[in-house]
Amino acid sequence: TTQTHVAYLLWKYPRETVQLYWAYWRRKDYKDAACREFWTKYFPKSSYGYFGAISELIALRTVEQLASAHMEGKSRTYVLVLSNMFYQPVTERLTATLDETAPEKLASTEFLQHQRDRAGELTLDDVPDFTPILVFVYLGIPILICQFFYLFADSMLEKSGMYDQLFSKTAKQRE
């Protein structure tokens, strides 16, 4: 799935994963094409697992539909409805695939087999899901480290007696 591929790419490129700390808070600032541009600008390697793979799969399935209609000899009009997030990459892929030799390509069984094989590769779950590992390593461990230092400082303040001095002064000031 897409999440599995993105998690794998984030695990493979940890520098991009560290950038997720600040990017998480800015994720809702961008919509549609601006969203794709934001993620591909700051996460060029791992964003392909989402935007590139989905765009390629949409383009491949579109070409399959066109080829099916071309093989049947039916002339039809197709309307492809896309989110603006995927519009530019899909149109670029379709333009590259369906050039002036499109009728010959759509009639070629080798071309269609190549398209089906590539679509199968994109939908294949060949990598394990690294999402739980990413969450533990990049969220769980930092929280545990912060908790350790907090408890260590609290313990040191209590052992040194400064804890009682600090909180007894604030209690006396309130009275």
Side-chain angles (χ1 to χ4, degrees), residues 10-131:
L10 286 171
W11 183 257
K12 191 174 176 182
Y13 304 108
R15 183 172 299 253
E16 290 187 3
T17 308
V18 172
Q19 291 183 25
L20 283 175
Y21 287 120
W22 67 266
Y24 177 79
W25 302 108
R26 298 191 56 203
R27 74 190 187 283
K28 292 186 178 179
D29 295 345
Y30 303 97
K31 300 284 185 220
D32 297 328
C35 176
R36 180 182 41 79
E37 290 172 9
F38 171 76
W39 290 105
T40 54
K41 178 180 178 183
Y42 295 108
F43 304 93
K45 295 176 183 169
S46 58
S47 68
Y48 174 80
Y50 184 72
F51 296 108
I54 289 177
S55 299
E56 187 175 355
L57 190 58
I58 290 170
L60 290 170
R61 297 298 187 202
T62 303
V63 170
E64 273 185 35
Q65 287 295 323
L66 292 173
S68 174
H70 184 75
M71 295 277 201
E72 292 175 4
K74 296 180 180 178
S75 59
R76 297 179 180 163
T77 301
Y78 287 93
V79 177
L80 180 62
V81 180
L82 296 171
S83 165
N84 286 338
M85 195 180 312
F86 300 107
Y87 179 77
Q88 182 184 1
V90 170
T91 54
E92 288 172 358
R93 291 182 191 281
L94 286 173
T95 303
T97 304
L98 300 174
D99 51 9
E100 50 279 333
T101 61
E104 293 85 28
K105 285 182 179 179
L106 294 176
S108 168
T109 56
E110 295 86 23
F111 174 74
L112 295 176
Q113 185 60 41
H114 172 70
Q115 296 287 95
R116 284 189 203 100
D117 292 344
R118 181 65 186 143
E121 290 171 12
L122 288 172
T123 57
L124 186 64
D125 288 335
D126 56 346
V127 294
D129 188 8
F130 283 92
T131 306

Side-chain angles (χ1 to χ4, degrees), residues 1 3-8 126-134:
T1 62
Q3 176 186 333
T4 304
H5 288 251
V6 172
Y8 171 73
D126 56 346
V127 294
D129 188 8
F130 283 92
T131 306
I133 296 169
L134 286 171

Side-chain angles (χ1 to χ4, degrees), residues 116-154:
R116 284 189 203 100
D117 292 344
R118 181 65 186 143
E121 290 171 12
L122 288 172
T123 57
L124 186 64
D125 288 335
D126 56 346
V127 294
D129 188 8
F130 283 92
T131 306
I133 296 169
L134 286 171
V135 170
F136 177 72
V137 169
Y138 290 98
L139 286 177
I141 291 176
I143 289 172
L144 289 174
I145 290 171
C146 289
Q147 180 187 17
F148 171 77
F149 282 118
Y150 170 76
L151 293 175
F152 176 74
D154 187 50

